[in-house]
Every structure is written in C-alpha cells, then in structure tokens.
Amino acid sequence: MAAQFNDDMRYVIGVIGDIPALLAFWQMFKDQSNDQVLKEIGVVAAALPGETVLPETHDSGQLIPTYAGYRSMLENHPEINMVIEATGRTALVHELRNYLPASVTLVERNAANFFINLLTSDKIWVACKVDLLHTQNMLKTIIDQMDQEILFLNGQGTILDLNKTALDHAGRSKKALVGMSYREIFLDSGKAENGYASDPLAETVETHAPAETVTNMVDEHGRMQYYRVYTFPVFDEDESVNHVVALRRNITQRTSIEQRLQQAEKLASIGELSTYMAHEIRNPLFTISGFANSLMRVEGLDEKAREKLSIILDESRRLDVILKSLMNFTRPTEAEVAEVDLNALVKATMDVMSLPCTNQGVECTVDLDESVALVHANPDLIKQCLINLVKNSLEAMEEGGNLFVTTGMNRDFALLSVEDTGVGIPLEIRDKVFSPFFSTKGKGSGLGLAQTHKILDEIGGDIELVSREGIGTKITLYLPPILAVAEPEETE
C-alpha cells in the first residue's frame, strides 16, 4: 500500500490516528485497493499524537515515516494534499480544521470510509467492464468460427445479430440483414419433409422449449441443399422468452447418405420380390403365351379371335420384358470391367443418337476434353447410361431445344455430363427420380436413372443432378479414372 510520491498521484495522503484506528484504516485500505487505485492514491506519512514510542510502520517492503504530531508530519511532507483523521475524536477534528491550509483537504473517519469505497468501486467497475468486453470478444470469436449459421432474434423472429457464417451465406451486409425476419433467411425458399417448412420459432415461444424443422432449397447452381433449423429459448428473470437463438445446419451430405441407404433397402426388397415373381409369374406366363401361340395356328380362326389372341401375346411379351428388367436390375452386374476411352465411347454413341435429336428439332453439341483420363468401367454399361440420359433429355424437350454432352476431369474423377434446355425437374419429385419404378412419362418401367445410379455405385463412381424448372437439367456421371500404378502380377 505504501507509495513513493510522484507527480501523477491525485491524492497524496497523510494519516492521523492512534495505533488501533490506524491499523483498522490500514486493513480497510489494503482490502479495498487494487493496482489501479494505488496509481492515484499514496499514503506517504502517518502521525500518532500522544504516543511516546513511535512504532516502525512497514507495508509491501516500504517504510512509512511516522511522527508524534501532525504538524511535524506536514512540515516534513509538504506534498500532502489530503489528511485523513482516523480516530474520530471531535476535538482533534476541530483543531485540524483551524490549522490546515486551504490546499489540504481534511477527511474525517466516516467520510474516509465512504471516499475509499467509492473510489475503489469505480475502479472495480472499470475492471469489470474490461473483463466483460474481453469475454464478449472471446464469445463472438468462437461463435463466428462455428460452421453453423446462427441468428439472434427477439420473440417475434426479428434478427438482432448474426454470426459471420450466416453473414457470408446470405451474401448481404449486416446492416441489411438486421431487422429482417429470420424466416426470410432460414425458411423462405424451402419445403419441409412433409409440406412447407414449419416454423420452430413459434413452437419455441409457445412451449418455452427448443424446436426444429427440416427445410430444403435449390442453390444458385441448381443443386438441392437440405438444412435443419433449430431454435432455442433465452429466458429473462421472470422465466418468459424474450429472445431466441436460431441455428441452421447444412445436412445435405447426411441426407444423401440416408437416401442411399433407403435405396439399398428398396433394392434388397425388390430382389426378394423379383425372385418370387420369377417363380410364381413367369411359369404361368409361359403357359399362357404357349397356348395363345397354339391357338393362333389353328385353321379357320376368325379375325376377332385372332385379334384377341394377338393382344394376349403382346401383353405377355410386355410383362416378360418387365420381369427381365426387374431381375436384371436387382442382380449385380457381372459385366467385365476394362479400360474405357471415354471420348471415343461418347463420340460413337452420339453418332447413333444424332438422328433422334435431329428428328425432334434438338441441336446437339458434343464437347470432348482431350485431357480426360481412361476410366475403369464396362463400355457397354456406360454406353447404356449415356443413351438413357440422352433419351430423358429428348423427352424433356418435346418442342426442340439444345443438348450438350461434355467430358472433363476434376481432382478425383473423369466427368461425363448431359445437359438439356428442357422443362426441368419439379422440386417436389427431385428426391424420387433415382428411385426404382418412378416415372413421370406414363410409360416404361421407371428403371433408367435407377439403373444408371446402380451402375455408377458398383464401379465406385457417383452421379449428380442439377435442375431448374423451366431452364433445364444437367446430370453428371463421375467415373473412376485408371490410376498410373503397376498392376499386380498374376501367379500360377
């Protein structure tokens, strides 16, 4: 506590009192003071009136000089600008008032207590403010570094603040976003799993509990994005919800995995069903078509009967084709995998498909990347995939349009893309287009895209769909390239 006098001190203090009063003051000052207080306050001397033997007063390793009277203290320390009378004796206080010059402030014991508490409280408040600002900055840094988008809302859903991730994703300034409804940012452009996205904020405000919903949207590249939106209540002192924290997490990757698992489960069920159908349906079907053929060879059969038998045979053949497609789809492809020149395969296939494009008024553009790698696949199956994609594009452009077939490379795969300017795929059915037996054409088995997806999965590739209603659709096949590594030698 003891201080050396310096010009920066606001209060240079001399203390007057007996030993018990001085010790009490000393302890209070040490308990209340901090480094900031000690920069402005310094006790430089003490006077102990009436003491015959003056004690040596020490604090923090520094000696505080003591005097038998306050006059001696003031004469030896002209820098003192404040005297604290710590005994509370009325006569001594009266004497000091008459003696002290106007430049020295007299502070009585009770006033000294108040003065020290007030000063130290102010400094403590400043220290607390600094700590609070440090904590706020640290919390903001942590929240800004989170991958999830976070909005801070009032009870009506108005945005009060947001983290950097939400700001970057919105692509607008903070000034433009603050004051908007969070629904415009988190819920405006999507649908939930069952119809339009529900509002978790309303549920949180009503139930005082966390809530969530799932919404989806098509990004600026035409790709489907899935999000899960969470809302958490913030309570005030009377346990009412006055603020809400809204968090949005991108779950597109997880949704893709879930959809793949669901499709795998469907395929397993279809495999069991196809085996049963092959046994229970194809044998009676073979008998029906056999007898129908025999009746067709009967002489003297009238035309109406022949027409009916012909319908029976046609429908039997159609049912047999469906059964074969189903069985081929569910069993693993056993086609031999080899090195495939993707550009040569695309050129040969599109030479064949150019006539259907011309007949339908579709202008076809083929752009082949000469640097594309050889791919690890079966050429017949990749050709089948390409034909399926081109046929789908032609069906989406009944009144003509443009078709673009391109090849290229990214870091891990060779790419084969088919893009059209057709009607696009509606948002509500986009999740179903790779499902077996799903079709919007009213004809066919609905296995084309599902089969393409299955072929890519089996060779370690992938498939990507990008579509915008009224603009067109682009499907890209990701094919595994042949790696430049030595093949293991076969041993006998």
Side-chain angles (χ1 to χ4, degrees):
M1 181 190 71
Q4 298 295 326
F5 169 71
N6 62 72
D7 293 336
D8 294 330
M9 284 186 179
R10 294 174 59 189
Y11 307 103
V12 183
I13 299 174
V15 182
I16 302 173
D18 53 24
I19 291 177
L22 186 59
L23 290 177
F25 172 79
W26 222 259
Q27 189 62 44
M28 180 195 70
F29 191 85
K30 290 176 64 176
D31 292 343
Q32 296 291 337
S33 299
N34 54 41
D35 292 339
Q36 188 64 31
V37 172
L38 293 176
K39 290 179 182 179
E40 299 188 15
I41 298 177
V43 176
V44 296
L48 303 173
E51 298 291 340
T52 56
V53 179
L54 299 181
E56 292 184 354
T57 305
H58 295 268
D59 191 78
S60 302
Q62 296 187 24
L63 175 66
I64 297 177
T66 57
Y67 300 89
Y70 61 83
R71 287 181 171 83
S72 299
M73 179 183 72
L74 293 172
E75 289 174 358
N76 286 279
H77 296 277
E79 71 272 15
I80 292 176
N81 59 19
M82 179 178 290
V83 170
I84 296 178
E85 197 288 311
T87 66
R89 298 172 185 170
T90 304
L92 181 57
V93 171
H94 181 72
E95 182 181 340
L96 286 169
R97 285 176 178 168
N98 294 326
Y99 177 80
L100 293 177
S103 60
V104 178
T105 302
L106 174 62
V107 180
E108 300 177 29
R109 183 175 63 180
N110 293 336
N113 293 340
F114 173 78
F115 169 76
I116 292 173
N117 286 325
L118 182 63
L119 185 61
T120 54
S121 297
D122 177 69
K123 302 307 177 184
I124 291 172
W125 176 84
V126 172
C128 290
K129 182 179 179 180
V130 172
D131 289 342
L132 179 60
L133 290 174
H134 174 72
T135 303
Q136 287 177 331
N137 290 333
M138 182 173 63
L139 181 61
K140 185 178 185 302
T141 300
I142 294 172
I143 292 176
D144 281 343
Q145 291 180 354
M146 294 180 67
D147 292 334
Q148 294 81 18
E149 300 172 66
I150 301 175
L151 303 180
F152 300 94
L153 317 171
N154 63 15
Q156 290 71 47
T158 302
I159 298 174
L160 304 177
D161 203 352
L162 65 166
N163 72 339
K164 186 176 183 300
T165 304
L167 196 62
D168 293 343
H169 190 272
R172 284 181 272 180
S173 67
K174 184 174 182 179
K175 183 178 180 181
L177 294 171
V178 171
M180 292 177 58
S181 170
Y182 98 105
R183 299 168 185 86
E184 299 179 55
I185 306 298
F186 277 8
L187 301 177
D188 183 58
S189 57
K191 290 184 177 180
E193 293 170 329
N194 300 308
Y196 286 95
S198 59
D199 187 353
L201 174 72
E203 183 178 345
T204 292
V205 172
E206 181 180 354
T207 64
H208 291 197
E212 62 182 76
T213 189
V214 173
T215 183
N216 53 41
M217 60 171 287
V218 179
D219 63 18
E220 65 274 14
H221 304 295
R223 295 180 175 89
M224 178 75 81
Q225 300 282 343
Y226 289 90
Y227 296 92
R228 187 173 292 275
V229 178
Y230 306 85
T231 53
F232 304 93
V234 179
F235 300 99
D236 57 17
E237 295 179 355
D238 61 356
E239 297 299 319
S240 62
V241 178
N242 58 356
H243 292 86
V244 175
V245 175
L247 182 147
R248 185 167 73 167
R249 177 180 291 122
N250 191 315
I251 59 170
T252 305
Q253 186 68 29
R254 187 180 72 180
T255 302
S256 175
I257 295 173
E258 291 174 351
Q259 290 175 349
R260 287 174 180 268
L261 290 174
Q262 291 173 0
Q263 186 167 13
E265 292 173 357
K266 287 181 182 178
L267 294 181
S269 300
I270 292 171
E272 296 177 2
L273 178 63
S274 64
T275 303
Y276 174 80
M277 291 175 64
H279 182 267
E280 298 295 333
I281 297 178
R282 295 194 75 188
N283 288 339
L285 184 63
F286 179 78
T287 302
I288 291 171
S289 59
F291 278 108
N293 274 315
S294 297
L295 291 173
M296 287 286 285
R297 292 192 293 269
V298 173
E299 295 182 1
L301 198 65
D302 60 59
E303 288 301 319
K304 288 186 177 182
R306 286 184 180 278
E307 183 180 351
K308 293 177 181 178
L309 288 172
S310 178
I311 293 173
I312 293 174
L313 287 173
D314 288 342
E315 293 300 311
S316 297
R317 282 191 289 269
R318 191 170 72 87
L319 184 56
D320 187 55
V321 169
I322 293 174
L323 287 173
K324 286 180 179 178
S325 298
L326 178 61
M327 294 177 67
N328 290 334
F329 178 75
T330 55
R331 68 167 62 101
T333 55
E334 298 178 355
E336 183 178 350
V337 175
E339 292 185 359
V340 177
D341 185 336
L342 190 59
N343 285 346
L345 183 146
V346 171
K347 187 176 184 304
T349 304
M350 293 312 298
D351 286 344
V352 175
M353 297 301 295
S354 60
L355 182 59
C357 292
T358 302
N359 292 340
Q360 197 167 311
V362 172
E363 183 178 345
C364 181
T365 301
V366 179
D367 184 10
L368 304 178
D369 184 353
E370 296 300 328
S371 65
V372 71
L374 298 175
V375 298
H376 192 68
N378 178 271
D380 293 332
L381 293 180
I382 299 304
K383 183 177 181 179
Q384 175 189 339
C385 292
L386 178 56
I387 291 173
N388 285 340
L389 297 181
V390 172
K391 284 184 176 180
N392 287 344
S393 292
L394 292 178
E395 290 171 355
M397 298 185 291
E398 295 181 352
E399 299 180 0
N402 294 287
L403 179 69
F404 305 92
V405 180
T406 60
T407 60
M409 289 290 298
N410 69 4
R411 188 172 67 90
D412 299 313
F413 294 98
L415 311 179
L416 171 57
S417 299
V418 177
E419 182 176 3
D420 62 60
T421 57
V423 296
I425 301 173
L427 183 63
E428 59 269 15
I429 67 169
R430 204 165 296 179
D431 295 337
K432 306 174 184 177
V433 295
F434 292 110
S435 298
F437 309 112
F438 178 80
S439 175
T440 60
K441 307 166 189 174
K443 58 182 180 180
S445 61
L447 291 173
L449 285 177
Q451 183 71 25
T452 300
H453 201 304
K454 180 172 179 286
I455 291 170
L456 268 294
D457 278 344
E458 290 182 355
I459 64 173
D462 203 355
I463 185 169
E464 180 184 56
L465 169 69
V466 175
S467 185
R468 297 182 184 178
E469 288 189 69
I471 297 177
T473 299
K474 180 179 180 180
I475 294 182
T476 301
L477 307 184
Y478 291 78
L479 303 162
I482 300 294
L483 302 182
V485 294
E487 296 289 337
E489 297 183 0
E490 294 184 2
T491 56
E492 296 184 357

